[in-house]
Amino acid sequence: MKEQTRETIEKEGERERQMRRDRIGGRGKEKEVSNIFTLHTSKAIPLLKLRINWCRKCEPFYVHKWVQHAILHGRLQELDVHIFSCGQLMELPPSLFFCSTLVVLKLDGNKLLLNPPASAFRFPSLRILLLKWVSYANNDSLPTLLAACPVLQDLTLTMHRDVFKRTNKNAGKFNILVLVPTLKKFTINTRLSSYAQYKLLINTPALEYFHFKGVLDENIVLESLPNLVKSFLQVEKHRVLTTKDYAKRIWDFMGQLYNAISMELSIETAEILYHASNDDVPIFHNLSSLKLYSLYSPKRYTWHVGNYFTPIGYLDEALRLPEYKSPYFTTCHYEGFRGLNEEMKLDKQILKAASVLKTLTIVVGSQLGTKEKHRDLKRLREFPKSSQICKIAFD
């Protein structure tokens, strides 16, 4: 593998020599870093970790040079490249894809282009992969990369429609195919507009943690999640679908997470789910913990459907929660409590709906004083409860 790496680096020579001629001598800071690399090599100390964070006037030549040096002269285990404001899209050197020692690879930046080589390559040791804001050369770029990671356990993807536009003629029709049998943790943030189209196919039989944030497209398939333990959903509103249709789509999506033991939902997601009929609500037989997040400031937040600028306290209809019939639903966690009437009504209905609930834990915001905390706790304890053994705790 080392010989293959050397051969790959040699093939890059002409392009690198041209870039060197364009920057003969180099600038001060870049030259200093290059001198440090040279000094490091002279001491024969293997380089295990390299992090490049360049946010202004990035020079691709130096990034290539440092990454190649780390691969050729070290036993690189962790590479973290954070590139913004680079002018044009920048590909990382092809030699990176033949680094057999990498355990962690993090690529973050709106100027990075992921374009795996056509020839066979492999990351036999890679366990953690983060791709944030990067561009993709084509629809096969991501699946090709994942197929070369036989022991991958932790994957984080952050995608944006504008990034696709620069490199993909079919922008907004991107395929996100995650077929990784070893994956245990998957975090995805689609950050696409409601008008974008993408296909998300997940087949990860070993997955234990699933975190989804963004607009929920109709072309999403979760095929195998038998070992799922924890899920987090922050579904953003859809600008095209009616709220009722979108609510059904979300419930259908959540139904594929039926094995989850712990679930976390944003309040916005819960608000959308209100519009689904009771017949559309799946049952989570293994659910033992539900955690809700309040994501909006008091001046903007309201339960009134479809209008986040309605005055505080405007709640035309009670928020309906599904009747939790699971014998395992014993814990509920609410974070970001501000003492608003809307939050009180939500907690009241949770207490009313959950028949075997043992603990309702509420994490209070810092703006509440001791007097307000005692007042709100007293009010909560006066609400009727389906579970007589339920205890309410302020954290």
Side-chain angles (χ1 to χ4, degrees):
M1 183 62 71
K2 180 69 73 173
E3 293 300 322
Q4 188 177 21
T5 301
R6 291 179 181 275
E7 181 181 351
T8 303
I9 292 178
E10 290 175 0
K11 291 181 180 180
E12 300 166 12
E14 181 57 35
R15 181 176 61 179
E16 298 298 334
R17 283 192 291 272
Q18 181 61 46
M19 296 170 70
R20 188 181 295 109
R21 287 193 291 268
D22 293 341
R23 299 165 179 81
I24 191 71
R27 295 182 298 181
K29 292 182 180 180
E30 292 85 345
K31 190 173 182 179
E32 289 177 8
V33 175
S34 297
N35 290 338
I36 293 174
F37 271 96
T38 303
L39 179 62
H40 183 275
T41 303
S42 66
K43 293 184 177 181
I45 302 174
L47 187 65
L48 302 179
K49 181 178 180 179
L50 174 62
R51 186 173 192 270
I52 302 175
N53 189 345
W54 206 331
C55 297
R56 291 188 60 189
K57 298 181 180 179
C58 173
E59 295 285 356
F61 165 72
Y62 291 104
V63 176
H64 279 225
K65 180 179 179 180
W66 299 334
V67 171
Q68 289 177 358
H69 180 98
I71 294 173
L72 191 60
H73 297 283
R75 294 195 298 269
L76 192 63
Q77 296 181 5
E78 182 172 346
L79 176 63
D80 186 349
V81 180
H82 181 95
I83 301 292
F84 281 84
S85 300
C86 183
Q88 61 183 4
L89 288 174
M90 181 189 75
E91 293 186 42
L92 290 170
S95 55
L96 168 65
F97 296 94
F98 298 94
C99 182
S100 61
T101 58
L102 266 183
V103 177
V104 179
L105 176 60
K106 298 180 179 181
L107 304 179
D108 181 7
N110 63 347
K111 296 299 182 178
L112 288 175
L113 176 63
L114 183 64
N115 188 18
S119 58
F121 68 96
R122 194 172 177 84
F123 288 115
S125 305
L126 193 67
R127 287 177 169 78
I128 300 175
L129 175 62
L130 181 146
L131 302 174
K132 188 175 182 181
W133 306 117
V134 301
S135 298
Y136 296 85
N138 53 64
N139 274 341
D140 295 327
S141 299
L142 179 60
T144 300
L145 177 61
L146 295 180
C149 305
V151 296
L152 188 64
Q153 296 184 3
D154 188 337
L155 173 63
T156 300
L157 300 176
T158 298
M159 307 220 167
H160 197 285
R161 182 190 61 174
D162 292 339
V163 174
F164 301 152
K165 282 184 176 180
R166 300 190 186 101
T167 59
N168 190 346
K169 294 181 180 179
N170 294 320
K173 298 181 180 179
F174 195 77
N175 293 329
I176 307 171
L177 308 181
V178 182
L179 314 177
V180 186
T182 59
L183 198 64
K184 293 185 177 181
K185 182 179 180 180
F186 180 33
T187 300
I188 180 168
N189 184 348
T190 60
R191 298 306 297 269
L192 303 172
S193 76
S194 300
Y195 302 102
Q197 295 179 355
Y198 67 95
K199 179 179 181 180
L200 173 61
L201 174 60
I202 301 174
N203 190 317
T204 51
L207 197 68
E208 298 176 357
Y209 176 84
F210 177 54
H211 183 135
F212 178 89
K213 179 181 179 180
V215 177
L216 196 63
D217 192 81
E218 61 179 343
N219 297 314
I220 296 182
V221 179
L222 310 182
E223 288 189 341
S224 180
L225 302 173
N227 295 302
L228 189 65
V229 175
K230 187 174 182 178
S231 63
F232 176 97
L233 296 179
Q234 184 179 334
V235 181
E236 298 176 357
K237 289 198 171 185
H238 203 288
R239 298 180 182 178
V240 178
L241 287 179
T242 65
T243 307
K244 184 176 181 180
D245 290 340
Y246 196 41
K248 185 180 186 306
R249 179 182 294 183
I250 298 174
W251 273 126
D252 290 342
F253 176 72
M254 291 177 61
Q256 301 177 76
L257 309 176
Y258 63 91
N259 278 327
I261 297 174
S262 174
M263 184 174 291
E264 301 180 15
L265 300 175
S266 68
I267 294 298
E268 183 182 31
T269 303
E271 181 193 12
I272 298 172
L273 292 175
Y274 158 75
H275 293 275
S277 65
N278 292 332
D279 295 336
D280 296 325
V281 177
I283 297 177
F284 304 93
H285 293 283
N286 298 325
L287 193 66
S288 62
S289 176
L290 175 64
K291 189 173 183 178
L292 301 175
Y293 285 95
S294 178
L295 302 173
Y296 299 96
S297 66
K299 293 183 179 180
R300 293 187 61 196
Y301 185 77
T302 174
W303 279 109
H304 186 253
V305 176
N307 184 353
Y308 283 103
F309 299 95
T310 305
I312 291 298
Y314 196 109
L315 185 62
D316 285 345
E317 301 176 78
L319 176 68
R320 294 178 301 177
L321 295 176
E323 183 178 354
Y324 294 103
K325 299 179 180 180
S326 168
Y328 307 107
F329 186 69
T330 59
T331 303
C332 182
H333 186 107
Y334 184 97
E335 187 167 342
F337 182 81
R338 302 172 183 271
L340 302 176
N341 289 332
E342 291 80 5
E343 295 173 307
M344 283 292 184
K345 292 176 182 179
L346 173 62
D347 292 329
K348 180 179 181 179
Q349 293 184 55
I350 291 175
L351 291 171
K352 183 179 180 180
S355 58
V356 294
L357 191 65
K358 292 182 180 179
T359 305
L360 172 60
T361 301
I362 300 175
V363 179
V364 182
S366 59
Q367 71 277 9
L368 286 182
T370 303
K371 184 177 180 180
E372 289 81 5
K373 291 179 183 178
H374 285 299
R375 178 201 62 199
D376 293 338
L377 180 58
K378 182 179 179 181
R379 288 182 60 192
L380 288 168
R381 286 175 174 171
E382 292 174 350
F383 290 153
K385 298 180 293 184
S386 293
S387 173
Q388 298 305 316
I389 62 174
C390 178
K391 295 183 179 179
I392 302 173
F394 267 20
D395 187 1

